[in-house]
Amino acid sequence: MYKVNASLNKETIEIGRARAFTPGWLENESIWLHMEYKYMLELLKSGLYKEYYDDFKNVLIPFMDASVYGRSPLENSSFIASSANVDESIHGTGFVARLSGATAEFLSMWRLMFVGKKPFKIINGKLTLSFNPVLPEWLFDEENKVSFNFLGRCRVTYYNPSRKNTYEMDITKQK
């Protein structure tokens, strides 16, 4: 996971409130989820899919151990106490200090992963819909499928019998 900053131990309090917090807590060397997700979203938006998925399971809350995280892995938090904190019993635990943009960033990642950057286009004066998923092969189940709800109601299922990363294949051709 990515800490919000390096150690501030050698800095004076004049740098601001971040220095006042214990390392690994709030803005001082914790995992600030909104910022971490912003970084991940930018990797995805930039087309750095390998880098994005190399970190995916290590930084996204749904893949965390709920017993360490201290809450449901379906629930975001403001920050996660990092290993810089002196209290080892809270390392990896999520806390809610205030509202966070982590959920908005997560939904933006989800949209880009499953439908692509611009699913709606005007072609020859007509509104068209075209998906361009950027999914890793491991996200597909044992039947080579992954499903999601589009616009809250439309069930979409991708079938990937070749078990390839969708961002490395031409998905416009069907056999």
Side-chain angles (χ1 to χ4, degrees), residues 63-105:
F63 295 99
M64 291 190 70
D65 179 346
S67 66
V68 173
Y69 183 53
R71 53 193 342 111
S72 167
L74 300 176
E75 180 184 351
N76 279 330
S77 37
S78 301
F79 72 96
I80 298 169
S82 77
S83 58
N85 196 288
V86 295
D87 184 352
E88 291 182 17
S89 71
I90 64 167
H91 291 178
T93 302
F95 295 91
V96 179
R98 60 183 77 109
L99 292 175
S100 166
T103 301
E105 303 299 343

Side-chain angles (χ1 to χ4, degrees), residues 13-139:
I13 195 67
E14 281 78 22
I15 67 167
R17 65 182 258 144
R19 178 62 180 94
F21 295 114
T22 302
W25 188 258
L26 283 167
E27 289 106 1
N28 188 0
E29 289 190 80
S30 73
I31 313 305
W32 206 252
L33 199 55
H34 182 203
M35 298 307 292
E36 183 172 70
Y37 278 16
K38 266 189 178 306
Y39 172 73
M40 293 296 290
L41 177 59
E42 289 307 313
L43 287 176
L44 190 57
K45 286 167 62 175
S46 299
L48 298 169
Y49 307 127
K50 180 185 180 322
E51 292 81 353
Y52 175 77
Y53 285 114
D54 282 351
D55 282 349
F56 192 81
K57 288 183 180 179
N58 295 319
V59 302
L60 268 70
I61 297 304
F63 295 99
M64 291 190 70
D65 179 346
S67 66
V68 173
Y69 183 53
R71 53 193 342 111
S72 167
L74 300 176
E75 180 184 351
N76 279 330
S77 37
S78 301
F79 72 96
I80 298 169
S82 77
S83 58
N85 196 288
V86 295
D87 184 352
E88 291 182 17
S89 71
I90 64 167
H91 291 178
T93 302
F95 295 91
V96 179
R98 60 183 77 109
L99 292 175
S100 166
T103 301
E105 303 299 343
F106 184 86
L107 290 172
S108 294
M109 288 187 285
W110 179 93
R111 180 186 57 84
L112 287 172
M113 289 169 58
F114 282 90
V115 300
K117 291 181 181 178
K118 295 182 179 181
F120 293 104
K121 297 177 185 125
I122 302 289
I123 299 176
N124 297 326
K126 294 185 179 182
L127 179 64
T128 63
L129 173 63
S130 175
F131 296 143
N132 186 23
V134 290
L135 301 170
E137 59 81 21
W138 54 261
L139 202 54

